[in-house]
């Protein structure tokens, strides 16, 4: 097999090369390096997440979705993968499906949206502390 610039070097060198391509906004170049790297070290989240981001930024949304779903299946509390999965689904006009992942991402980071319509506006009837639980 012929070695090209994209797959030359150790995994650490290729990781650095992929990050350089990504930083230079050469998302297709980064994806080329990362796709091979992810095959070599499939258990590592970092390269797979950067591959998903490269796919996302180069509008390869189905590929991005596939990588993100793999991460979320392995690590359901990986909040950034959840957020990216939600955004990727939104870009594919799959809003209902996206909403679930965006809500989970927000819950994992504690970044719940303000002004939610499903919460009571007047909180005076909510328990204020441990000793203030009202029974009906």
């Amino acid at each position: 097999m012929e070695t090209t610039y994209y797959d030359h070097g150790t995994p650490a060198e290729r990781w650095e090369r992929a990050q350089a391509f990504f930083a230079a906004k050469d998302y297709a170049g980064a994806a080329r390096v990362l796709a091979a790297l992810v095959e070599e070290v499939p258990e590592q989240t970092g390269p797979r997440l950067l591959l998903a981001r490269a796919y996302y930024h180069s509008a390869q949304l189905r590929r991005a979705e596939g990588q993100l779903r793999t991460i979320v299946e392995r690590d359901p509390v990986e909040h950034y993968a959840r957020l990216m999965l939600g955004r990727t689904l939104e870009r594919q006009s799959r809003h209902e499906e996206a909403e679930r992942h965006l809500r989970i991402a927000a819950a994992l980071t504690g970044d719940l949206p303000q002004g939610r319509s499903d919460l009571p506006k007047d909180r005076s009837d909510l328990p204020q502390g441990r000793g203030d639980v009202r029974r009906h």
Side-chain angles (χ1 to χ4, degrees):
M1 182 171 138
E2 186 179 318
T3 301
T4 67
Y5 173 72
Y6 294 97
D7 58 2
H8 175 76
T10 67
E13 290 169 335
R14 286 181 282 141
W15 170 243
E16 288 179 13
R17 186 174 308 123
Q19 289 177 311
F21 278 125
F22 191 89
K25 297 186 180 182
D26 180 355
Y27 303 119
R32 268 184 87 173
V33 175
L34 289 162
L37 188 58
V38 165
E39 282 185 30
E40 190 174 332
V41 288
E43 71 284 353
Q44 291 191 10
T45 300
R48 188 176 299 276
L49 189 56
L50 191 59
L51 176 58
R53 292 177 64 201
Y55 284 151
Y56 178 88
H57 287 296
S58 59
Q60 299 178 63
L61 301 178
R62 292 284 184 182
R63 287 181 172 179
E65 178 186 348
Q67 296 301 321
L68 293 164
R69 286 193 185 280
T70 298
I71 294 169
V72 168
E73 286 171 10
R74 291 180 182 173
D75 186 2
V77 296
E78 171 50 64
H79 71 278
Y80 190 68
R82 289 267 183 197
L83 175 65
M84 277 198 61
L85 181 53
R87 297 288 183 233
T88 300
L89 293 168
E90 280 183 332
R91 282 185 68 186
Q92 296 177 70
S93 297
R94 293 162 59 191
H95 301 288
E96 268 185 48
E97 208 176 336
E99 182 63 26
R100 175 178 176 262
H101 294 287
L102 294 172
R103 283 180 178 254
I104 292 171
L108 290 171
T109 61
D111 190 24
L112 296 173
Q114 300 297 318
R116 290 194 25 202
S117 61
D118 60 333
L119 294 176
K121 300 221 184 302
D122 177 16
R123 295 180 171 234
S124 63
D125 63 333
L126 295 176
Q128 299 302 311
R130 191 176 170 102
D132 187 28
V133 176
R134 297 183 184 147
R135 302 200 192 278
H136 295 278

